[in-house]
Structures are given as structure tokens and as C-alpha cells.
Amino acid sequence: MSQFAAPRKSLGQNFLQDANIINKIVGGLNIQSSDTVLEIGPGRGALTELILPLAKELHLVEFDRDLIRYWENRSQANLTVHGVDILKFELDEIIQSTNTKIKVIGNLPYNISSPVLFHLMRYAEHIDSQVLMLQKEVVERMASGPGSKQYGRLSVMLQQRYDIEMLFKVPPTAFFPPPKVDSAIARLTPMQELANPVLEHDDFAKVVKLAFSMRRKTLRNNLKPILNSQQIESIGVDPSARAETLTVAEFTAISNLVSTI
Ligand code: SAM
């Protein structure tokens, strides 16, 4: 009998079982012997076992009580276990313990993938890169550009801060149990120099959220609570355009206008 309990659906437990894919995912993080790595949701260790001999420090954040106990019983000098919900985990603890930027990896529970992406963004300046397994549609949304159907709030918010690549797709057969959706690996690399810096991040988040609040409506309509048509025009943006046609640079221009008036 397996030493593990049955996979818990409520915790998004689809465990990787394809050695080739596991190797490729860990390879995508390019781990060096001086690296501090954070793994979100190690589960039964498909990725973890490969990372342990490579990294200087490995921090695990796991929420399943049985799996926390399993990893806590594993005494290994470079391993630290944090038994906590990743959405409540303050990365400062790890950031302060190292003088290098941290690398993040995880086969994420899909029901919380967007909140995890936004949570990690708060720490982007301390992160070297993030290699994450997500639902394929989410990666497409993250990486798509203006004019495409998938382009939306997630694309704009992430592309302002990261270079985003889809590394490869992963079929359901690579997991046990197989998920009902296709998956893909994304690599997010925080930009050293932001191509489109914002004055106030909260204003940027507000503008993007409002602009996409009703996809079929114009900017003039959606941004009414904060800007009028003339103000939108003053920075060279067409108020009758829809949010889905705007570049990240145009969103940052609108946000920076809001921050200065
Ligand atoms: N890394 C393993 C693998 O690839 O086989 C497991 C991946 S499984 C898709 C997701 C993992 O995240 C599970 O181990 C689950 O218990 C854990 N998890 C679920 N919700 C979590 C949360 N809020 N915080 C931290 N870990 C969580």
C-alpha cells in the first residue's frame, strides 16, 4: 500500500508522474548550486527530489497536513518546510535569509493559480524567475497581446512586470489523477528595467480592472469614474477604443495620468 493518502481534489492534487516532463520543468529553472529555491505545493515530491541535490536552499510551502508531516520528517540540511497556505505566506522570511534573488517553482493547484500569481507579484523585485505549471488557457491569457480574445486583465498586469514565455504544453496523461484540462509550463522573469514603469501600482491595478470591467464597452464608459474623454485623449489614447485593443504602454500612460491629477 502507498505511504500516501488518496489525492485530495479540494487541494488540486494532480501529481506528476512523467519523468521526462518532470526533468524538463526543473531544467526550465536553470538551478545553480548557489540558488535559493521556493517550491509551491511539493506534494509527493515529483519536482522536489530533483531540486534537492541542485539547490543551496530549498523552501517548501505545502498546505496538506499529511504531506507537511511527510516533509517535516525528511531531515535534510538544505530543506525548510513551511506548513501554510501559499496565499498567506510572506516571502520576506526567505528573502531576508539569502543575499541572492530567489527562484520559484510549482505545479500549482489550478483553483488558486491567479491569486498565487498576484501574490508572487508583490515580491517580484526579489525574484529571479518563476517556472509554473498552470492550466494551458491561463498561460495563453498571460502571454497574449492586444487584439486577441485571450488578452485581458491578467495579461496586462503580468506583462507590465514580467517577461512571459510558454515553455511547453503538458497533456493530462502526465498526471495522476489526470486533470480534465490541458496544462502548460510558463516562465515569468521579472524585468530588471521596466519597459513601462508606473508611478502608483494601485492606480495601475485600478485602471486595468475598470477598463476591462465590461469588455464590450469603450474606455470612455468604463473609465468614467476616474477620467473623462478629454483627459484620455490628452495622452493620445482614443476614448472610443476598447480595453482589449490597448498596449501595456497605453495602460501605464493612463495610470500615470491618474496618479498625477
Ligand atoms: N508538486 C507536486 C507534483 O508536481 O506532483 C504536487 C502538485 S499538486 C498539482 C498541487 C500541490 O499544492 C499539492 O501538493 C497540494 O497539497 C498543494 N496545495 C494546495 N493548495 C495549497 C495552498 N493553498 N498552499 C500551498 N500548497 C497548496
Side-chain angles (χ1 to χ4, degrees), residues 11-16 39 41-43 46 62-63 85-86 107 109 112:
L11 289 174
Q13 292 184 347
N14 299 96
F15 298 115
L16 277 165
E39 185 187 357
E62 176 56 67
F63 199 39
D85 179 353
I86 181 61
N107 170 11
I112 56 165

Side-chain angles (χ1 to χ4, degrees), residues 10-17 39-48 61-64 67 84-87 106-109 111-112 175:
S10 61
L11 289 174
Q13 292 184 347
N14 299 96
F15 298 115
L16 277 165
Q17 56 174 6
E39 185 187 357
I40 302 168
R44 300 174 178 181
L47 304 169
T48 325
V61 176
E62 176 56 67
F63 199 39
D64 179 310
L67 291 171
V84 56
D85 179 353
I86 181 61
L87 297 174
N107 170 11
L108 297 185
N111 55 339
I112 56 165
F175 303 83

Side-chain angles (χ1 to χ4, degrees), residues 198-217:
V198 293
L199 293 172
E200 294 284 344
H201 194 266
D202 287 352
D203 287 335
F204 182 63
K206 189 171 164 185
V207 164
V208 177
K209 193 173 175 187
L210 270 179
F212 282 106
S213 56
M214 284 174 284
R215 263 190 101 86
R216 311 292 307 160
K217 297 224 165 162

